[in-house]
Amino acid sequence: MKPDIKGTVLVVDDDPASLSILFELLRKANFKVLIAEDGTSALKRVKHLQPDIILLDVMIPDINGFDLYRQLKASDNTAETPIIFLSVQSDPAAKVRALRMNAVDYITKPFQPEEVIARIEKHLTIRNLQKKLEKQNLRLQQEIEERKYAEKQAKTALAEKETLLKEINHRVKNNLQTLIYLIDLQAATIKTPELLQPLDELQGRVRAMGLIHEKLYQSENPGQINFKEYLEDLTSNLFYAMGRDRPIALHMDIEDVFINANTAIPCGLIVNELMTNTLKYAFPIASVSGPPTKEKEKNGHKIRVMLRACQEQCLLT
């Protein structure tokens, strides 16, 4: 089975002996080898082919190796290609110059064959890892952009949903208010107190539900309301309507609790029923007639409403 090609190496050198040695050395190490004997040939090669690594002699006939390096790095095909300088010069200044130009390596002739192969393989491994990381980074950037777009779409959809919920709550509140007016019109035609009582009770229940939707409309989160504010408004309205002229004290000890409409509506109706019944029947009219006094409050004429948050539940008393 023929071994896989490790990569393509472009050798730029005008020395026939060096070219022959490098060609055989790289071919036996399973590299595809491209040859260029001068700078012009090298530029033509990279125009149509994209080598994985370039071995570049410092001294070539038509152009200085450092100048050719700059031209190769300016080409789209070889801008990121690792380039190793080859030179018979052991001048440290030339090596420093090459490395400062970001050449990946500098090999001095005569070279050890194993050393050349080892260095080429090392730099190809580094370049392949860089390519892999670049692909991963590109994929991550695409995923980030996709997530940002999805998040933006979700925020837009959420904002539209919240606007829609607010509008629904506003319309429900208005419809319930219309229902209260209709009950008022009906009540105006009735003279019998016994017949008016069910209408009053119905009106109270509708007001309790309407207040829920009013709070939902005013809430920053249209799916939840501050139940403390709701209870304070509901009990105060009931107390004002049914117990303001009676010496009954209203004590509210309520914590901030946010709940959804599905929970708030039945709880609101329960409070409405209990408060209504309490104001109607808990205190004999004769015993609480007359202006409020501290003495009468001491005698137990008071209503207490409490709300406590207990971990994931609430206690309403």
PDB file of all heavy atoms in Angstrom, residues 138-154:
ATOM      1  N   LEU A 138     -13.374  29.786  13.166  1.00  0.00           N
ATOM      2  CA  LEU A 138     -14.364  30.257  12.199  1.00  0.00           C
ATOM      3  C   LEU A 138     -15.726  29.632  12.487  1.00  0.00           C
ATOM      4  O   LEU A 138     -16.757  30.329  12.453  1.00  0.00           O
ATOM      5  CB  LEU A 138     -13.905  29.902  10.777  1.00  0.00           C
ATOM      6  CG  LEU A 138     -14.835  30.338   9.639  1.00  0.00           C
ATOM      7  CD1 LEU A 138     -15.014  31.855   9.647  1.00  0.00           C
ATOM      8  CD2 LEU A 138     -14.313  29.860   8.292  1.00  0.00           C
ATOM      9  N   ARG A 139     -15.711  28.329  12.788  1.00  0.00           N
ATOM     10  CA  ARG A 139     -16.962  27.648  13.107  1.00  0.00           C
ATOM     11  C   ARG A 139     -17.584  28.207  14.389  1.00  0.00           C
ATOM     12  O   ARG A 139     -18.804  28.412  14.472  1.00  0.00           O
ATOM     13  CB  ARG A 139     -16.713  26.147  13.250  1.00  0.00           C
ATOM     14  CG  ARG A 139     -17.998  25.334  13.414  1.00  0.00           C
ATOM     15  CD  ARG A 139     -17.777  23.856  13.218  1.00  0.00           C
ATOM     16  NE  ARG A 139     -16.860  23.307  14.198  1.00  0.00           N
ATOM     17  CZ  ARG A 139     -15.620  22.913  13.943  1.00  0.00           C
ATOM     18  NH1 ARG A 139     -15.140  23.014  12.709  1.00  0.00           N
ATOM     19  NH2 ARG A 139     -14.853  22.409  14.883  1.00  0.00           N
ATOM     20  N   LEU A 140     -16.741  28.480  15.385  1.00  0.00           N
ATOM     21  CA  LEU A 140     -17.231  29.057  16.637  1.00  0.00           C
ATOM     22  C   LEU A 140     -17.809  30.454  16.411  1.00  0.00           C
ATOM     23  O   LEU A 140     -18.854  30.807  16.978  1.00  0.00           O
ATOM     24  CB  LEU A 140     -16.109  29.118  17.673  1.00  0.00           C
ATOM     25  CG  LEU A 140     -15.707  27.785  18.313  1.00  0.00           C
ATOM     26  CD1 LEU A 140     -14.470  27.965  19.193  1.00  0.00           C
ATOM     27  CD2 LEU A 140     -16.851  27.220  19.142  1.00  0.00           C
ATOM     28  N   GLN A 141     -17.130  31.241  15.576  1.00  0.00           N
ATOM     29  CA  GLN A 141     -17.631  32.582  15.264  1.00  0.00           C
ATOM     30  C   GLN A 141     -18.994  32.507  14.566  1.00  0.00           C
ATOM     31  O   GLN A 141     -19.896  33.299  14.869  1.00  0.00           O
ATOM     32  CB  GLN A 141     -16.634  33.332  14.385  1.00  0.00           C
ATOM     33  CG  GLN A 141     -15.377  33.767  15.128  1.00  0.00           C
ATOM     34  CD  GLN A 141     -14.345  34.398  14.217  1.00  0.00           C
ATOM     35  OE1 GLN A 141     -14.530  34.479  12.998  1.00  0.00           O
ATOM     36  NE2 GLN A 141     -13.246  34.853  14.783  1.00  0.00           N
ATOM     37  N   GLN A 142     -19.114  31.540  13.670  1.00  0.00           N
ATOM     38  CA  GLN A 142     -20.398  31.356  12.990  1.00  0.00           C
ATOM     39  C   GLN A 142     -21.486  30.949  13.980  1.00  0.00           C
ATOM     40  O   GLN A 142     -22.614  31.454  13.922  1.00  0.00           O
ATOM     41  CB  GLN A 142     -20.252  30.303  11.888  1.00  0.00           C
ATOM     42  CG  GLN A 142     -19.408  30.758  10.706  1.00  0.00           C
ATOM     43  CD  GLN A 142     -19.140  29.638   9.710  1.00  0.00           C
ATOM     44  OE1 GLN A 142     -19.294  28.458  10.029  1.00  0.00           O
ATOM     45  NE2 GLN A 142     -18.745  30.001   8.511  1.00  0.00           N
ATOM     46  N   GLU A 143     -21.122  30.039  14.899  1.00  0.00           N
ATOM     47  CA  GLU A 143     -22.094  29.605  15.909  1.00  0.00           C
ATOM     48  C   GLU A 143     -22.489  30.772  16.813  1.00  0.00           C
ATOM     49  O   GLU A 143     -23.660  30.918  17.179  1.00  0.00           O
ATOM     50  CB  GLU A 143     -21.503  28.475  16.750  1.00  0.00           C
ATOM     51  CG  GLU A 143     -21.397  27.152  16.000  1.00  0.00           C
ATOM     52  CD  GLU A 143     -20.779  26.056  16.852  1.00  0.00           C
ATOM     53  OE1 GLU A 143     -20.482  26.323  18.050  1.00  0.00           O
ATOM     54  OE2 GLU A 143     -20.580  24.940  16.330  1.00  0.00           O
ATOM     55  N   ILE A 144     -21.495  31.597  17.172  1.00  0.00           N
ATOM     56  CA  ILE A 144     -21.783  32.763  18.020  1.00  0.00           C
ATOM     57  C   ILE A 144     -22.722  33.722  17.301  1.00  0.00           C
ATOM     58  O   ILE A 144     -23.687  34.230  17.886  1.00  0.00           O
ATOM     59  CB  ILE A 144     -20.474  33.473  18.419  1.00  0.00           C
ATOM     60  CG1 ILE A 144     -19.690  32.609  19.409  1.00  0.00           C
ATOM     61  CG2 ILE A 144     -20.767  34.847  19.036  1.00  0.00           C
ATOM     62  CD1 ILE A 144     -18.288  33.104  19.681  1.00  0.00           C
ATOM     63  N   GLU A 145     -22.447  33.958  16.013  1.00  0.00           N
ATOM     64  CA  GLU A 145     -23.317  34.853  15.242  1.00  0.00           C
ATOM     65  C   GLU A 145     -24.723  34.277  15.131  1.00  0.00           C
ATOM     66  O   GLU A 145     -25.717  35.010  15.240  1.00  0.00           O
ATOM     67  CB  GLU A 145     -22.727  35.070  13.839  1.00  0.00           C
ATOM     68  CG  GLU A 145     -21.441  35.890  13.817  1.00  0.00           C
ATOM     69  CD  GLU A 145     -21.631  37.279  14.403  1.00  0.00           C
ATOM     70  OE1 GLU A 145     -22.672  37.901  14.112  1.00  0.00           O
ATOM     71  OE2 GLU A 145     -20.753  37.718  15.157  1.00  0.00           O
ATOM     72  N   GLU A 146     -24.791  32.953  14.912  1.00  0.00           N
ATOM     73  CA  GLU A 146     -26.108  32.307  14.827  1.00  0.00           C
ATOM     74  C   GLU A 146     -26.859  32.413  16.149  1.00  0.00           C
ATOM     75  O   GLU A 146     -28.068  32.673  16.173  1.00  0.00           O
ATOM     76  CB  GLU A 146     -25.942  30.833  14.433  1.00  0.00           C
ATOM     77  CG  GLU A 146     -25.501  30.643  12.982  1.00  0.00           C
ATOM     78  CD  GLU A 146     -25.160  29.199  12.665  1.00  0.00           C
ATOM     79  OE1 GLU A 146     -25.263  28.355  13.582  1.00  0.00           O
ATOM     80  OE2 GLU A 146     -24.774  28.912  11.517  1.00  0.00           O
ATOM     81  N   ARG A 147     -26.140  32.223  17.256  1.00  0.00           N
ATOM     82  CA  ARG A 147     -26.784  32.321  18.573  1.00  0.00           C
ATOM     83  C   ARG A 147     -27.220  33.759  18.860  1.00  0.00           C
ATOM     84  O   ARG A 147     -28.280  33.983  19.440  1.00  0.00           O
ATOM     85  CB  ARG A 147     -25.823  31.828  19.659  1.00  0.00           C
ATOM     86  CG  ARG A 147     -25.611  30.316  19.624  1.00  0.00           C
ATOM     87  CD  ARG A 147     -24.751  29.849  20.775  1.00  0.00           C
ATOM     88  NE  ARG A 147     -24.520  28.406  20.715  1.00  0.00           N
ATOM     89  CZ  ARG A 147     -23.831  27.723  21.616  1.00  0.00           C
ATOM     90  NH1 ARG A 147     -23.309  28.353  22.656  1.00  0.00           N
ATOM     91  NH2 ARG A 147     -23.670  26.414  21.488  1.00  0.00           N
ATOM     92  N   LYS A 148     -26.366  34.715  18.473  1.00  0.00           N
ATOM     93  CA  LYS A 148     -26.739  36.116  18.658  1.00  0.00           C
ATOM     94  C   LYS A 148     -28.000  36.450  17.868  1.00  0.00           C
ATOM     95  O   LYS A 148     -28.893  37.155  18.357  1.00  0.00           O
ATOM     96  CB  LYS A 148     -25.590  37.037  18.219  1.00  0.00           C
ATOM     97  CG  LYS A 148     -24.436  37.113  19.200  1.00  0.00           C
ATOM     98  CD  LYS A 148     -23.376  38.077  18.700  1.00  0.00           C
ATOM     99  CE  LYS A 148     -22.238  38.218  19.704  1.00  0.00           C
ATOM    100  NZ  LYS A 148     -21.182  39.140  19.202  1.00  0.00           N
ATOM    101  N   TYR A 149     -28.057  35.934  16.643  1.00  0.00           N
ATOM    102  CA  TYR A 149     -29.239  36.182  15.806  1.00  0.00           C
ATOM    103  C   TYR A 149     -30.472  35.526  16.420  1.00  0.00           C
ATOM    104  O   TYR A 149     -31.549  36.142  16.487  1.00  0.00           O
ATOM    105  CB  TYR A 149     -28.997  35.625  14.402  1.00  0.00           C
ATOM    106  CG  TYR A 149     -30.179  35.788  13.472  1.00  0.00           C
ATOM    107  CD1 TYR A 149     -30.470  37.029  12.906  1.00  0.00           C
ATOM    108  CD2 TYR A 149     -31.009  34.709  13.163  1.00  0.00           C
ATOM    109  CE1 TYR A 149     -31.555  37.188  12.056  1.00  0.00           C
ATOM    110  CE2 TYR A 149     -32.091  34.859  12.321  1.00  0.00           C
ATOM    111  CZ  TYR A 149     -32.351  36.102  11.765  1.00  0.00           C
ATOM    112  OH  TYR A 149     -33.432  36.251  10.937  1.00  0.00           O
ATOM    113  N   ALA A 150     -30.290  34.257  16.893  1.00  0.00           N
ATOM    114  CA  ALA A 150     -31.423  33.557  17.522  1.00  0.00           C
ATOM    115  C   ALA A 150     -31.871  34.270  18.787  1.00  0.00           C
ATOM    116  O   ALA A 150     -33.070  34.392  19.062  1.00  0.00           O
ATOM    117  CB  ALA A 150     -31.024  32.112  17.840  1.00  0.00           C
ATOM    118  N   GLU A 151     -30.893  34.773  19.566  1.00  0.00           N
ATOM    119  CA  GLU A 151     -31.232  35.506  20.797  1.00  0.00           C
ATOM    120  C   GLU A 151     -31.976  36.797  20.464  1.00  0.00           C
ATOM    121  O   GLU A 151     -32.944  37.155  21.143  1.00  0.00           O
ATOM    122  CB  GLU A 151     -29.942  35.814  21.564  1.00  0.00           C
ATOM    123  CG  GLU A 151     -30.179  36.502  22.894  1.00  0.00           C
ATOM    124  CD  GLU A 151     -28.887  36.785  23.652  1.00  0.00           C
ATOM    125  OE1 GLU A 151     -27.833  36.250  23.246  1.00  0.00           O
ATOM    126  OE2 GLU A 151     -28.926  37.551  24.618  1.00  0.00           O
ATOM    127  N   LYS A 152     -31.520  37.467  19.413  1.00  0.00           N
ATOM    128  CA  LYS A 152     -32.192  38.699  18.992  1.00  0.00           C
ATOM    129  C   LYS A 152     -33.624  38.407  18.556  1.00  0.00           C
ATOM    130  O   LYS A 152     -34.555  39.141  18.894  1.00  0.00           O
ATOM    131  CB  LYS A 152     -31.409  39.344  17.837  1.00  0.00           C
ATOM    132  CG  LYS A 152     -31.975  40.678  17.380  1.00  0.00           C
ATOM    133  CD  LYS A 152     -31.133  41.273  16.264  1.00  0.00           C
ATOM    134  CE  LYS A 152     -31.728  42.594  15.787  1.00  0.00           C
ATOM    135  NZ  LYS A 152     -30.929  43.173  14.675  1.00  0.00           N
ATOM    136  N   GLN A 153     -33.781  37.303  17.786  1.00  0.00           N
ATOM    137  CA  GLN A 153     -35.122  36.918  17.347  1.00  0.00           C
ATOM    138  C   GLN A 153     -36.004  36.568  18.544  1.00  0.00           C
ATOM    139  O   GLN A 153     -37.189  36.925  18.584  1.00  0.00           O
ATOM    140  CB  GLN A 153     -35.034  35.708  16.407  1.00  0.00           C
ATOM    141  CG  GLN A 153     -34.363  36.004  15.067  1.00  0.00           C
ATOM    142  CD  GLN A 153     -35.181  36.957  14.209  1.00  0.00           C
ATOM    143  OE1 GLN A 153     -34.920  38.146  14.158  1.00  0.00           O
ATOM    144  NE2 GLN A 153     -36.192  36.434  13.547  1.00  0.00           N
ATOM    145  N   ALA A 154     -35.399  35.864  19.522  1.00  0.00           N
ATOM    146  CA  ALA A 154     -36.170  35.481  20.718  1.00  0.00           C
ATOM    147  C   ALA A 154     -36.587  36.708  21.516  1.00  0.00           C
ATOM    148  O   ALA A 154     -37.722  36.790  22.006  1.00  0.00           O
ATOM    149  CB  ALA A 154     -35.337  34.541  21.588  1.00  0.00           C
TER     150      ALA A 154
END
